[in-house]
């Protein structure tokens, strides 16, 4: 069995992805996928052959690390898939959770004086400052390459449903 992660209904995109994945499997597919909203112990999770994870937010980062440390092969969307929804969804959700008077700190965070002469990165980490289009896409792809999901052992990226 392969576990499709659950977020207990907190992410509509993840819930829809799980339902579409389950409904799109061809007959006689060699793996049995399981999606549950039940809490699972680490022992129960370790019984699965693999995990399909749509990463977003801090909880999923912790879950990802827990699964990787259990030696559970983990399948995550590739960069093109992540840019389309979970990554930008998380930024928008994070920004909307802040009081208006603090949102400017995301757009222009305090900077060490040593950064005054040169930007340390090609793009700002605040992705929503870029208008939708090529500049936002380039910024997203730039920052995606630093995510753990693309560097840890036992992780495989996918770009579409089977």
């Amino acid at each position: 069995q392969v576990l499709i992660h659950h977020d207990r209904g907190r992410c509509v995109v993840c819930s829809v992805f799980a339902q579409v994945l389950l409904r799109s499997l061809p007959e006689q597919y060699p793996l049995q996928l399981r999606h549950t909203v039940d809490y699972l112990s680490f022992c129960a999770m370790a019984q699965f052959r693999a995990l399909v994870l749509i990463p977003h937010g801090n909880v999923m980062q912790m879950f990802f690390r827990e699964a990787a440390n259990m030696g559970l092969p983990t399948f995550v969307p590739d960069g093109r898939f992540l840019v389309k929804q979970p990554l930008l969804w998380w930024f928008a959700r994070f920004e909307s959770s802040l009081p208006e008077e603090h949102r400017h700190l995301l757009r222009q965070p305090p900077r060490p004086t040593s950064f005054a002469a040169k930007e340390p990165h090609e793009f700002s980490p605040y992705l929503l400052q870029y208008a939708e289009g090529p500049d936002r896409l380039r910024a997203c792809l730039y920052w995606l390459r630093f995510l753990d999901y693309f560097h840890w052992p036992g992780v495989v990226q996918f770009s579409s449903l089977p």
Side-chain angles (χ1 to χ4, degrees):
Q1 281 191 328
V2 174
L3 176 64
I4 302 173
H5 91 284
H6 63 86
D7 64 348
R8 294 175 295 288
R10 290 181 292 214
C11 174
V12 172
V13 171
C14 298
S15 297
V16 169
F17 173 81
Q19 294 307 313
V20 169
L21 179 58
L22 289 168
R23 290 186 178 124
S24 67
L25 291 177
E27 287 188 39
Q28 307 303 320
Y29 192 70
L31 300 173
Q32 182 182 11
L33 302 183
R34 180 167 176 227
H35 183 244
T36 179
V37 294
D38 297 332
Y39 285 94
L40 298 175
S41 69
F42 290 117
C43 289
M45 283 189 272
Q47 300 305 310
F48 287 91
R49 293 178 60 192
L51 168 71
V52 176
L53 177 71
I54 306 298
H56 64 277
N58 296 337
V59 173
M60 289 299 116
Q61 286 178 334
M62 290 183 288
F63 185 44
F64 166 77
R65 289 184 174 107
E66 291 161 349
N69 284 315
M70 286 189 287
L72 194 59
T74 303
F75 293 85
V76 298
D78 66 5
R80 292 174 297 176
F81 188 118
L82 279 177
V83 166
K84 290 178 184 172
Q85 179 61 39
L87 182 70
L88 294 174
W89 170 86
W90 185 85
F91 272 93
R93 184 172 177 228
F94 181 67
E95 180 182 59
S96 68
S97 71
L98 292 174
E100 186 63 41
E101 65 268 16
H102 292 94
R103 291 182 187 177
H104 73 280
L105 294 171
L106 290 174
R107 292 184 284 280
Q108 295 183 340
R111 298 167 45 100
T113 55
S114 61
F115 287 3
K118 182 181 179 202
E119 291 292 329
H121 290 281
E122 187 176 339
F123 292 96
S124 165
Y126 180 63
L127 300 175
L128 297 181
Q129 81 177 24
Y130 300 100
E132 288 186 31
D135 288 339
R136 182 180 283 180
L137 178 60
R138 281 191 286 274
C140 287
L141 293 174
Y142 176 83
W143 286 106
L144 278 173
R145 65 190 178 136
F146 296 108
L147 294 176
D148 291 343
Y149 310 117
F150 301 108
H151 300 284
W152 281 39
V155 179
V156 176
Q157 290 85 40
F158 61 87
S159 60
S160 70
L161 299 174

